[in-house]
Each structure stands twice: as C-alpha cells, then as structure tokens.
C-alpha cells in the first residue's frame, strides 16, 4: 500500500519558518466554542505535566471541522501530528509503522476510526491503553511473546457517533467531544475568510 495513503506528517510549528504566516492553533478556528474550550483544557493539562493529553474522540457529521480541530490542537500545543484514515490502515504492520515513528507526546489522528479492520483495532487498543504492543515470535512450541514499548501519545479519533466504535475501543477515549451545527453568523464568517484567502470580497466595494 502506498505509504502516502496511510499517513501524513505535519511538522512542528518551529519547523515551518518558511511557510506562509497566518493564524495558528485555535486562533484559526471559527465557531465550535465549547469544543475549543474543552480541547484547550485537555491540552493545557498535558502540557503542564509534559505528557500527552488523554485520548480524544471527536464525533459529528461530515463537514463539521473535526479534522481541522485536531490539527489546531496539535499546533496550539506544539505537538507532532500524524494523520491517517481507518480505511487506509489495512494491516497491523501498517499501524506499527505509524506507532513506532511517533515522537514524544505526539498526536495520532485517525479519521473514520470506526472503519479500522478488526485485527488492526485489536493492535491499537493495547497501544492506546498501555503504550506497548506484544509480538508473537515463531509458532508452536517455539512461540515467544515480546513486548515493544512505544512513546506515549494522544490518539484523536474521528467518527460520526460514539456508538459507531466497538465498545472496547470506545472505552479508551476518556474525552468525547460532540461538535455542534454552525450558526448562520459562523458560516458567514467562514465564507468571508475563504473569500479573502482566494483574493476576492463577498461584500460590495
């Protein structure tokens, strides 16, 4: 499978000196004040302790900005973020390639986490719970189990609703944030911002 389909890595803020300047972190988010407030509180708790934030599940319909919020969270607290999709991680080896390359306190963003294959989900659960996975070496009488310790990370899962996840996986997300529909004013503000980014105005001169 093409690695580019499995994951994408976004640099830390200090690595982006040559990129276009603009609002970073939650400053670029329009609307979703309750979600932003909760994410700030969760992120600040981890930052003060120099440890990853608890795992977070963002739920809501498509187009609500769940992925944008996850990236803003990583930007706000200077975390590496690695993004993938539940439909792209088809094998355990794909997931292990991602997990073993996470930096300290990184964010692992899994869009459509409810679509992970069962065997991949079973590998993700111990990684989330204890930041370690077990490998079985050889077979039969010679079989041995080796434990591989991972760097601690925050998993941000994205799904349409909490019930879409298998119960065993859903239970590993202590923070569940439901996104709310945008108001008309928020939609208008986002349209204006998009128009400015594209170089034209929605209002008469």
């Amino acid at each position: 499978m093409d690695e580019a389909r499995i994951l994408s890595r976004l640099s830390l803020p200090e690595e982006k000196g040559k990129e276009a300047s603009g609002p970073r972190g939650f400053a670029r988010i329009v609307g979703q004040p309750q979600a932003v407030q909760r994410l700030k509180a969760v992120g600040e708790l981890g930052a003060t302790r120099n440890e990853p934030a608890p795992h977070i599940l963002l739920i809501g319909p498509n187009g609500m900005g769940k992925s944008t919020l996850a990236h803003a969270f990583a930007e706000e607290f200077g975390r590496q973020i690695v993004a993938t999709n539940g439909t792209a991680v088809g094998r355990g080896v794909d997931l292990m390639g991602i997990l073993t390359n996470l930096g300290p306190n990184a964010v692992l963003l899994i869009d459509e986490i409810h679509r992970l294959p069962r065997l991949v989900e079973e590998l993700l659960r111990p990684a989330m719970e204890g930041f370690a996975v077990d490998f079985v070496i050889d077979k039969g009488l010679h079989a041995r189990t080796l434990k591989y310790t991972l760097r601690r990370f925050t998993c941000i899962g994205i799904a349409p609703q909490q019930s879409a996840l298998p119960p065993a996986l859903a239970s590993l997300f202590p923070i569940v944030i439901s996104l709310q529909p945008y108001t008309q004013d928020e939609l208008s503000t986002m349209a204006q911002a998009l128009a400015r980014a594209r170089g034209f105005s929605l209002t008469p001169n």
Side-chain angles (χ1 to χ4, degrees), residues 121-187:
E121 176 217 325
E122 291 177 351
L123 183 63
L124 176 63
R125 292 204 309 266
M128 290 176 59
E129 189 170 20
F131 303 107
V133 291
D134 292 335
F135 285 103
V136 178
I137 307 298
D138 293 330
K139 297 179 180 179
L141 295 176
H142 301 287
R144 294 177 297 145
T145 300
L146 300 178
K147 184 179 290 291
Y148 187 95
T149 302
L150 303 167
R151 296 185 181 94
R152 294 167 63 84
F153 65 95
T154 298
C155 180
I156 299 183
I158 291 178
Q161 53 192 11
Q162 188 174 9
S163 60
L165 276 66
L169 180 59
S171 67
L172 297 178
F173 290 96
I175 309 297
V176 180
I177 300 176
S178 178
L179 273 64
Q180 303 302 314
Y182 289 100
T183 66
Q184 191 61 44
D185 287 344
E186 290 168 346
L187 291 173

Side-chain angles (χ1 to χ4, degrees), residues 46-200:
T48 56
R49 298 176 178 177
N50 193 28
E51 60 184 29
H55 303 307
I56 302 165
L57 182 63
L58 299 177
I59 58 175
N62 291 336
M64 298 295 291
K66 298 183 293 295
S67 180
T68 301
L69 272 172
H71 283 87
F73 175 86
E75 291 171 3
E76 186 79 14
F77 298 103
R79 307 296 196 190
Q80 173 202 17
I81 181 168
V82 174
T84 189
N85 189 291
T87 61
V89 188
R91 303 171 301 167
V93 66
D94 298 331
L95 180 63
M96 284 305 304
I98 297 172
L99 293 174
T100 55
N101 282 285
L102 291 175
N105 301 332
V107 172
L108 172 60
L109 170 61
I110 307 179
D111 198 359
E112 297 187 295
I113 191 171
H114 57 293
R115 296 185 182 276
L116 283 173
R118 182 178 59 83
L119 292 178
V120 176
E121 176 217 325
E122 291 177 351
L123 183 63
L124 176 63
R125 292 204 309 266
M128 290 176 59
E129 189 170 20
F131 303 107
V133 291
D134 292 335
F135 285 103
V136 178
I137 307 298
D138 293 330
K139 297 179 180 179
L141 295 176
H142 301 287
R144 294 177 297 145
T145 300
L146 300 178
K147 184 179 290 291
Y148 187 95
T149 302
L150 303 167
R151 296 185 181 94
R152 294 167 63 84
F153 65 95
T154 298
C155 180
I156 299 183
I158 291 178
Q161 53 192 11
Q162 188 174 9
S163 60
L165 276 66
L169 180 59
S171 67
L172 297 178
F173 290 96
I175 309 297
V176 180
I177 300 176
S178 178
L179 273 64
Q180 303 302 314
Y182 289 100
T183 66
Q184 191 61 44
D185 287 344
E186 290 168 346
L187 291 173
S188 177
T189 300
M190 286 188 285
Q192 292 284 354
L194 180 60
R196 287 194 298 271
R198 293 178 175 177
F200 61 88

